[in-house]
Amino acid sequence: LWVTRDGVQFYIARTDAMAETDRNVKLGKVTLKMEPNPFSPELPFEQRLNLQDGSVTIEAGGKERAGSLKIFVAKDCDVIYVCGTSKKAVDVRVHYHNWRLAQPDMKQEELQELPDIVEQWGENLLFYHQNGESTLRETAEGEALGQYIDMIPDTLGNRIFGGMLGGEGFKVYGVDAERKGTTSFVFKAATMSRQDLPLEDWKAGMAHAFEQAPDAKAAFEHTREWWNNYWSQSFIWVDGDDSKPPHYAEGLLEYVGEEQEELPGNSPITRAYVHSKYMFACCGSGNFPIIFNGALFNLMPGDGIHIDLRTFGRAVTAPPLGEPTVELNPDERPWGHCTLWQNQRHPYHAMLGRGEYENVRRLFRHYRKFWDIDRAKAKVYYGGEGQYNNEIITTYGLMPLGCYGTDRRGKPDGYAVSRWSGAVDYSPGLELVLMMFDYYNYTSDEEFLLQDVLPYAKDLLRGIETRFRQRENGKMVLYPLIMRIPFLLRTENRRF
């Protein structure tokens, strides 16, 4: 969420907004304007993120156009509330922007994502994406696993995700909603993602969820109570580290605004820890694990350029040149939309130490879904038993087809053309087992140990034992293997 002279703007995102190409995409962007405009640059303005209660408050306009907003995502009901008051009557206009109403230009052989749909539902605005044919079958067949497709957890088929916008007294006109002459208002955005409903039932369910959402006061009290309890469960407060002024790339200096408010103790380490903890708490209870490359907070690429290894620094730090379009939008992610275990694991280690056990169990449950297909991989790829796993996977447990490789001439089944993440195998599963043992050490959950940890550990070790059959002096010879390296550095003449 951010504010410009044109008004309040925010993206809507869910961990389970998964398109048919296995991309996690935004649900759209919302802009809220007030007229007379309290956000004019010559008027007083303050925006505050209230960590203790999970809300953003905005005070703008000064004495003449005094207006205030409180915005929060309600805990347990998937609804965003925008609550506003104004000293004088204002006209409020809300605009919904979706850049996927048309299809981008793609190569003919690439799978197309169907366009999103926006329509009026009574006095509210309904928007949704219904997945078409997904990448699952093509990927399974391309990776010699077509006969085991029933073992693959289908995270994409029949999925519909979207939301509904509206508020008491608002009238919908196309992709806009408007309320005239008011000194107080509440505007809501409710969201939902399901795989088990026909479209008409999904629409009716979405409308029901919107209508049955608690009033703003009750929703905020529940949300504030949850965040207050969350912060009191555990904390790390560092004192004594040096406070240093932030360093900016020279090209960013023109974008530096007012000074950041100092936290008590003035500790940069504490500030970084608290804000990171807050962001992971926002994402940790979703229906999919936290996405490693930006979580739900990835933004529009800057400077009008796409994100890749050469443009990464500029694309993620420069301001965008305009509104999202079908060709350039905040659905882009560095390193793509797959899961890289080496990065995904990090937030969850800290959660164990903080006692956030349910969020860690969500991660375990996600990988638990792949046991059957990972056993099939061990059999097909290496004639082995137990389970095979690797570093980089889709949400349904297979390697991304581009990483695995579509030209299989001269390549055995299981061989990934990407020799970086694609060829890193077994160690991700072993690290997951270690985290599962850590979880058991924290919780003493005997049922979890017997039903999850020990069977998984046995399967992984059996997979290694039956893949690498060579023995020397009574020891297994683990060869060939790809070693994980911290980073690849390149110069014009040398590679390290």
Side-chain angles (χ1 to χ4, degrees), residues 276-348:
S276 297
K277 180 180 175 181
Y278 170 77
M279 295 174 72
F280 291 138
C282 289
C283 308
S285 59
N287 293 322
F288 284 81
I290 296 172
I291 306 168
F292 79 92
N293 44 2
L296 294 179
F297 298 97
N298 58 307
L299 302 173
M300 175 83 170
D303 217 21
I305 55 179
H306 291 286
I307 300 173
D308 61 33
L309 290 177
R310 295 164 299 174
T311 65
F312 176 78
R314 186 65 182 166
V316 300
T317 56
L321 297 184
E323 290 294 307
T325 67
V326 67
E327 295 296 342
L328 189 69
N329 54 66
D331 294 335
E332 289 193 24
R333 287 186 178 275
W335 295 279
H337 286 260
C338 46
T339 296
L340 272 68
W341 168 255
Q342 61 182 299
N343 298 318
Q344 186 182 60
R345 58 189 167 151
H346 294 307
Y348 293 95

Side-chain angles (χ1 to χ4, degrees), residues 34 84-86 88-92 170 179-185:
M34 302 165 67
T85 61
S86 176
K88 297 182 179 180
V90 293
D91 295 340
V92 184
F170 282 85
R179 181 173 176 179
K180 291 183 175 292
T182 182
T183 56
S184 66
F185 63 90

Side-chain angles (χ1 to χ4, degrees), residues 194-418:
R194 297 278 292 271
Q195 287 184 275
D196 58 343
L197 295 175
L199 179 58
E200 291 307 312
D201 290 345
W202 185 92
K203 290 181 179 181
M206 181 73 263
H208 179 76
F210 182 88
E211 293 162 1
Q212 296 301 311
D215 66 77
K217 182 178 180 180
F220 179 69
E221 288 302 317
H222 176 66
T223 302
R224 178 169 63 180
E225 181 181 8
W226 187 91
W227 279 105
N228 283 188
N229 290 336
Y230 174 75
W231 292 115
S232 68
Q233 288 172 8
S234 73
F235 60 90
I236 296 176
W237 199 267
V238 177
D239 195 11
D241 55 320
D242 294 334
S243 176
K244 297 181 179 179
H247 295 279
Y248 301 94
E250 185 175 346
L252 296 178
L253 287 175
E254 59 183 297
Y255 306 117
V256 178
E258 68 274 7
E259 290 293 324
Q260 295 234 5
E261 178 184 356
E262 296 293 347
L263 289 170
N266 199 25
S267 165
I269 294 177
T270 301
R271 182 195 303 277
Y273 174 75
V274 169
H275 283 99
S276 297
K277 180 180 175 181
Y278 170 77
M279 295 174 72
F280 291 138
C282 289
C283 308
S285 59
N287 293 322
F288 284 81
I290 296 172
I291 306 168
F292 79 92
N293 44 2
L296 294 179
F297 298 97
N298 58 307
L299 302 173
M300 175 83 170
D303 217 21
I305 55 179
H306 291 286
I307 300 173
D308 61 33
L309 290 177
R310 295 164 299 174
T311 65
F312 176 78
R314 186 65 182 166
V316 300
T317 56
L321 297 184
E323 290 294 307
T325 67
V326 67
E327 295 296 342
L328 189 69
N329 54 66
D331 294 335
E332 289 193 24
R333 287 186 178 275
W335 295 279
H337 286 260
C338 46
T339 296
L340 272 68
W341 168 255
Q342 61 182 299
N343 298 318
Q344 186 182 60
R345 58 189 167 151
H346 294 307
Y348 293 95
H349 287 296
M351 287 180 186
L352 283 176
R354 295 197 296 260
E356 298 174 31
Y357 302 132
E358 179 53 33
N359 286 352
V360 182
R361 283 299 294 268
R362 292 174 187 272
L363 177 74
F364 297 156
R365 285 195 289 268
H366 180 72
Y367 281 91
R368 177 69 172 81
K369 295 183 296 187
F370 307 140
W371 282 17
D372 288 342
I373 192 60
D374 283 349
R375 290 179 180 125
K377 292 177 192 175
K379 178 180 178 181
V380 171
Y381 294 162
Y382 302 110
E385 302 173 15
Q387 291 192 45
Y388 164 84
N389 65 70
N390 64 287
E391 156 75 11
I392 182 169
I393 59 173
T394 60
T395 61
Y396 45 85
L398 304 185
M399 196 182 304
L401 195 53
C403 181
Y404 183 84
T406 55
D407 183 358
R408 305 306 301 170
R409 290 174 296 182
K411 302 179 183 66
D413 291 341
Y415 181 92
V417 296
S418 169

Side-chain angles (χ1 to χ4, degrees), residues 50 75 123 125 227 289 329 338 462 483:
N50 304 298
K75 190 63 183 172
E123 293 299 327
L125 184 70
W227 279 105
N329 54 66
C338 46
R462 184 61 177 162
M483 295 181 62

